[in-house]
Amino acid sequence: MSEPTESPQAPAAASSAATSTTTSGATIRLENLTKRYPGNPNPSVDDVSMEIKAGETVVFVGPSGCGKSTTLKMINRLIEPTSGRIRIGDEDVTDMDPVKLRRKIGYAIQSSGLFPHMTVAENIALVPKMTGWSKSRVKDRVEEMLDLVGLDPREFHGRYPRQLSGGQQQRVGVARALAADPPVLLMDEPFGAVDPITRDHLQDELIRLQHELHKTIVFVTHDFDEAIKLGDRIAVLRERSHIAQFDTPEAILTNPADDFVSGFVGAGAALKRLNLTRVRDVEIAEFPTVSVDDPLQQIFNTLRAGQGNELLMLDRRGRPYKWLRRGDLMRAKGSLARAGQLVHDTVTRDATLHDALEAVLTDSGGRVAVTGRRGEYIGVVDMETLMNSVHEMLEADRLTAAEHAHDLEELRHHRVERDLEGLDDGAGGS
């Protein structure tokens, strides 16, 4: 991740976090959901019905003002529906106490929503305390959640939000939303206010968390590429939250329902499909590495023993630190302090090939380091691997197009034969 914060004991804690979280997702059903505001003749959300399956991530995407955030906020009744029903699992929550409802639903927003006068631990503990958890259980849960989102509990427990970077604040916001182990997590453009690299890493983190937790996630974004990357299914919404298409990312990319949906897909649909494939799905190559603590002579020996003219230097926690070329070592003169090129970007195994391609294109060496959940080095992905994947996708598209053309030709041929048979029958009966 972009903020290295892990502790040596973290992997064991991570295992504990994964096993102690037991609640999975719940089905969400919206039935004829409508929102009208006084003085406005048209509803902001008009008669929306959909079913979101337990454990899936559904992304709402649409133009500004189409009602996607309003629809999201009606699920936890931050906005009260004018009419319609909301069912979560087997329970109709339309008329229940909204405060009790919100304690059962995680909620993460763009600005993280952390209380500035509370420490990180106090922010995360808020809902568990309100629901009556014991002090020891709350304490354990805070540490568990910090570890789950990749923040060292010992380092971040007592910090205040103002002492965190934007990406760290969003991680704490997600940790707080998940602290009481809700079956449903609502996310309203949670990564919209951070820089692009941090945003990519936060998206990867959410994908990893979902693989572990299997919550039902409803996610709002205006970024179609983000929707493709995160969503099991995408709801493309017109004005008043009318559903233009509700389908898998691949189905929307390959077969948009109409011109409105095509406008969201935009140009380069084949390249956008790189968002459907993860780094873990392609070959992650080995690369010669050295440690920042290795003596200069040992680094020279490692370089000579390899086939290339470059090494990757790792820091003391095993994270990518610098790319070192042979010329850098020749100019080092006993010190590597200023030698080499800092590693500016990495990708995780949950990153998309689109993320990896962007990182590779901005790197002079044509490769990007792949890291684990705590930033530890795993391997590299290079331009050749990514271009091979692009060619395979384009070839698959070409074959699919050829098959469709063949099917259409056969259909046309059968129709002509059928029409000719009809003419023969008509002539015979005249």
Side-chain angles (χ1 to χ4, degrees), residues 27-75:
T27 301
I28 301 172
R29 294 181 183 86
L30 309 182
E31 301 173 359
N32 309 112
L33 209 59
T34 298
K35 179 61 183 179
R36 294 180 179 273
Y37 289 101
N40 190 338
N42 297 316
S44 296
V45 174
D46 184 22
D47 197 32
V48 173
S49 295
M50 68 168 59
E51 180 175 322
I52 298 167
K53 299 172 186 174
E56 80 170 332
T57 301
V58 166
V59 181
F60 293 172
V61 64
S64 297
C66 73
K68 53 187 182 292
S69 289
T70 302
T71 303
L72 180 88
K73 291 175 182 177
M74 283 195 284
I75 295 175

Side-chain angles (χ1 to χ4, degrees), residues 21 61 71 73 103 106 156 173 190 224 276 297 332 342 357 361 429:
T21 299
V61 64
T71 303
K73 291 175 182 177
R103 290 176 185 172
F156 288 90
F224 191 70
L276 302 175
Q297 186 58 51
L342 291 174
L357 184 60
L361 288 173

Side-chain angles (χ1 to χ4, degrees), residues 137-391:
R137 187 183 177 195
V138 169
K139 180 178 179 296
D140 290 344
R141 185 62 170 171
V142 168
E143 294 191 4
E144 182 181 319
M145 295 312 300
L146 280 171
D147 181 75
L148 193 68
V149 298
L151 298 175
D152 183 351
R154 295 172 300 181
E155 182 177 350
F156 288 90
H157 189 280
R159 288 193 186 182
Y160 287 89
R162 65 179 180 275
Q163 298 171 310
L164 308 178
S165 70
Q168 290 166 346
Q169 288 182 27
Q170 290 305 119
R171 288 167 183 257
V172 175
V174 172
R176 185 178 67 177
L178 292 169
D181 198 17
V184 172
L185 176 60
L186 306 181
M187 308 188 79
D188 194 358
E189 301 207 45
F191 310 143
V194 296
D195 65 88
I197 291 176
T198 302
R199 184 177 191 176
D200 285 340
H201 284 293
L202 288 169
Q203 291 166 349
D204 297 344
E205 188 76 359
L206 180 62
I207 292 166
R208 182 191 63 77
L209 285 172
Q210 179 66 333
H211 284 159
E212 291 187 23
L213 304 179
H214 308 290
K215 302 296 183 183
T216 303
I217 299 176
V218 187
F219 191 106
V220 165
T221 183
H222 65 277
D223 183 341
F224 191 70
D225 287 333
E226 183 170 59
I228 296 169
K229 179 175 179 177
L230 296 178
D232 296 314
R233 287 192 293 164
I234 300 172
V236 182
L237 304 180
R238 307 179 194 270
E239 63 176 6
R240 303 177 199 168
S241 281
H242 289 164
I243 298 172
Q245 189 167 358
F246 188 23
D247 213 329
T248 64
E250 186 166 17
I252 291 175
L253 284 173
T254 57
N255 190 26
D258 55 25
D259 290 343
F260 177 82
V261 179
S262 295
F264 268 96
V265 173
L271 288 177
K272 287 182 186 292
R273 289 178 60 192
L274 287 170
N275 278 317
L276 302 175
T277 307
R278 308 292 174 193
V279 169
R280 63 173 177 265
D281 299 325
V282 301
E283 180 183 0
I284 299 175
E286 295 182 358
F287 199 87
T289 62
V290 294
S291 169
V292 70
D293 290 325
D294 289 344
L296 188 59
Q297 186 58 51
Q298 183 177 330
I299 294 175
F300 265 113
N301 294 340
T302 303
L303 185 61
R304 290 194 190 100
Q307 297 180 347
N309 66 345
E310 191 175 29
L311 299 170
L312 176 60
M313 177 177 280
L314 308 180
D315 69 11
R316 292 182 176 88
R317 295 182 178 180
R319 301 168 301 188
Y321 173 51
K322 280 185 178 181
W323 299 104
L324 287 176
R325 294 184 174 88
R326 188 181 299 273
D328 297 325
L329 297 178
M330 299 301 292
R331 292 188 294 270
K333 296 180 181 179
S335 173
L336 291 173
R338 296 184 179 181
Q341 179 184 4
L342 291 174
V343 176
H344 292 295
D345 197 9
T346 61
V347 295
T348 69
R349 285 177 289 196
D350 288 315
T352 67
L353 293 196
H354 186 275
D355 296 333
L357 184 60
E358 283 192 338
V360 166
L361 288 173
T362 58
D363 186 279
S364 59
R367 71 284 184 262
V368 62
V370 181
T371 58
R373 63 167 296 192
R374 300 189 166 276
E376 73 277 10
Y377 168 76
I378 294 175
V380 299
V381 171
D382 58 24
M383 178 63 81
E384 183 180 1
T385 299
L386 295 174
M387 293 313 298
N388 286 340
S389 296
V390 171
H391 289 148

